[in-house]
Amino acid sequence: MIANVTADDVAEAAGVSRWTVNRAFRKDASISRKSLEKVMAAAERLGYVPDLRAVSLASDRSNLVALLIDDFANPHKLVMMECLTRALRRGGWDTLLVNTLDRDDASHALLNASQRRVDAVILIGLQFDDEVLEAAAHARKFRELIIFARTSERPNTISIAVDDVRAMNDMAEYIYAKGYRRPLFVAGPQNYSAHLLRKETFFSYWHSNTGREPGLVTVSTYDPALARRVVAETLQNCAREDLPDVLVCENDALAMGAADAVRYSLGLAVPGDIAITGFDDVPQADNPNYRITTYRQPLSEMVDYLVEVLAHPDRQDRDRLFLGSLVVRESA
């Protein structure tokens, strides 16, 4: 093995030009299979590793994507992160993972990502309001700003999400058909730059079909433990006849907390006394302790489309909504 092996050393060993060696280590570069095999064999024999920073400067691409994520109490974030990083790696992108701690940190993280020559920034979280996205747009040293699993009407962003309106209408129709008439909607934080439309859709459906407004309680984060406390405090002083007959939860994290509140804080049965629905279909929703009726997001399709957008940055109309499916279990 040669110390400080260079591309010139690999070119000489492989019997090709230095230009061919450089192309061999670039994603989607035009190079014959025979030349590629000769370069890779020589590189492995010599222990050559290309300088990715130099490749990035030469091609104006880094093949690095920043993934900004928060709210790790929500198990769906871990599912999305695993799915995203696997698909990105398979598509030739490495991932810079940033845990954004709060709103101020989210703004700093976006600006920091713009200084690291990332090709795109993917936002999965709650902390991205108008001011944060505006700061990102001004920095704009990365090609794409993608908001994943939420819809956004902000300019210069790409939104890839489930169709919350279609999904929640399906859920509302199911709840109504099952005969529930006293719903309490358990909502999470409402971010108007990257918004979930589930609460508004359910309220609209219920008012149109019954003439009444559902009850509402809001939980400040998608944390099952916090949801348990909030739901328990909301219902603990209700007379039996005033209790809701179903808790319609904005996602599965809230639904699991609500189920724990009904069973262990209030001493009631699910679904015998109060039914529960969720959204996302995280693995824990199918746990025998919960068996939550929920809505499954088509994550694999959403992630595959995100990778396609990265691979073809010049395509038009890149925002896309996806349809999932209702998953019926014993909780409702």
Side-chain angles (χ1 to χ4, degrees), residues 95-130:
T95 306
L96 172 66
L97 178 63
V98 182
N99 181 0
T100 52
L101 305 176
D102 53 37
R103 180 189 173 282
D104 292 336
D105 188 55
S107 181
H108 174 77
L110 275 167
L111 294 175
N112 186 266
S114 72
Q115 297 172 337
R116 295 179 180 271
R117 293 184 55 79
V118 299
D119 291 334
V121 173
I122 303 170
L123 310 181
I124 308 177
L126 311 174
Q127 310 292 347
F128 310 112
D129 63 14
D130 282 332

Side-chain angles (χ1 to χ4, degrees), residues 167-168 171 175 185-186 198 246-256 275-282 285 291-296 325-327 329 331-332:
M168 189 49 74
M171 181 65 76
I175 291 168
F185 195 93
V186 183
R198 299 167 195 173
V246 60
L247 302 180
V248 183
C249 300
E250 194 168 79
N251 68 10
D252 290 340
L254 300 181
M256 290 186 288
I276 293 173
T277 66
F279 200 107
D280 290 335
D281 195 28
V282 300
R291 296 290 296 160
I292 293 172
T293 291
T294 186
Y295 191 90
R296 179 178 297 150
S325 57
L326 188 67
V327 179
R329 300 192 179 101
S331 73

Side-chain angles (χ1 to χ4, degrees), residues 160-182:
I160 299 172
V162 71
D163 189 333
D164 280 325
V165 174
R166 295 274 296 273
M168 189 49 74
N169 270 316
D170 287 350
M171 181 65 76
E173 287 177 2
Y174 172 80
I175 291 168
Y176 186 83
K178 290 283 288 186
Y180 299 113
R181 292 297 181 268
R182 301 189 311 279

Side-chain angles (χ1 to χ4, degrees), residues 80-316:
M80 286 192 287
M81 185 173 69
E82 192 277 337
C83 198
L84 270 169
T85 53
R86 182 186 297 273
L88 288 167
R89 189 65 183 272
R90 189 171 58 240
W93 280 273
D94 287 321
T95 306
L96 172 66
L97 178 63
V98 182
N99 181 0
T100 52
L101 305 176
D102 53 37
R103 180 189 173 282
D104 292 336
D105 188 55
S107 181
H108 174 77
L110 275 167
L111 294 175
N112 186 266
S114 72
Q115 297 172 337
R116 295 179 180 271
R117 293 184 55 79
V118 299
D119 291 334
V121 173
I122 303 170
L123 310 181
I124 308 177
L126 311 174
Q127 310 292 347
F128 310 112
D129 63 14
D130 282 332
E131 289 185 25
V132 170
L133 296 181
E134 188 68 25
H138 284 171
R140 210 60 189 176
K141 294 182 180 178
F142 41 83
R143 288 180 173 82
E144 314 291 359
L145 181 60
I146 301 172
I147 298 176
F148 189 76
R150 283 177 175 256
T151 55
S152 173
E153 296 181 356
R154 290 288 303 171
N156 301 316
T157 64
I158 301 168
S159 178
I160 299 172
V162 71
D163 189 333
D164 280 325
V165 174
R166 295 274 296 273
M168 189 49 74
N169 270 316
D170 287 350
M171 181 65 76
E173 287 177 2
Y174 172 80
I175 291 168
Y176 186 83
K178 290 283 288 186
Y180 299 113
R181 292 297 181 268
R182 301 189 311 279
L184 174 66
F185 195 93
V186 183
Q190 303 297 298
N191 183 316
Y192 290 96
S193 291
H195 192 45
L196 300 177
L197 298 172
R198 299 167 195 173
K199 175 176 71 70
E200 294 88 340
T201 301
F202 184 80
F203 271 58
S204 176
Y205 177 95
W206 208 258
H207 186 268
S208 296
N209 285 273
T210 69
R212 297 190 300 273
E213 293 289 318
L216 173 66
V217 61
T218 300
V219 183
S220 60
T221 63
Y222 294 121
D223 181 343
L226 180 59
R228 174 178 176 174
R229 291 200 299 273
V230 171
V231 170
E233 290 169 1
T234 300
L235 301 181
Q236 63 186 357
N237 295 321
C238 289
R240 190 66 175 253
E241 62 272 15
D242 295 330
L243 287 170
D245 57 4
V246 60
L247 302 180
V248 183
C249 300
E250 194 168 79
N251 68 10
D252 290 340
L254 300 181
M256 290 186 288
D260 289 342
V262 170
R263 288 186 177 125
Y264 306 120
S265 299
L266 304 176
L268 301 175
V270 177
D273 295 310
I274 301 177
I276 293 173
T277 66
F279 200 107
D280 290 335
D281 195 28
V282 300
Q284 295 90 332
D286 195 29
N287 186 290
N289 291 327
Y290 294 112
R291 296 290 296 160
I292 293 172
T293 291
T294 186
Y295 191 90
R296 179 178 297 150
Q297 295 204 47
L299 269 185
S300 294
E301 294 177 42
M302 292 162 63
V303 167
D304 287 346
Y305 177 70
L306 185 152
V307 173
E308 183 182 331
V309 165
L310 290 175
H312 302 92
D314 296 328
R315 67 181 297 164
Q316 302 298 312

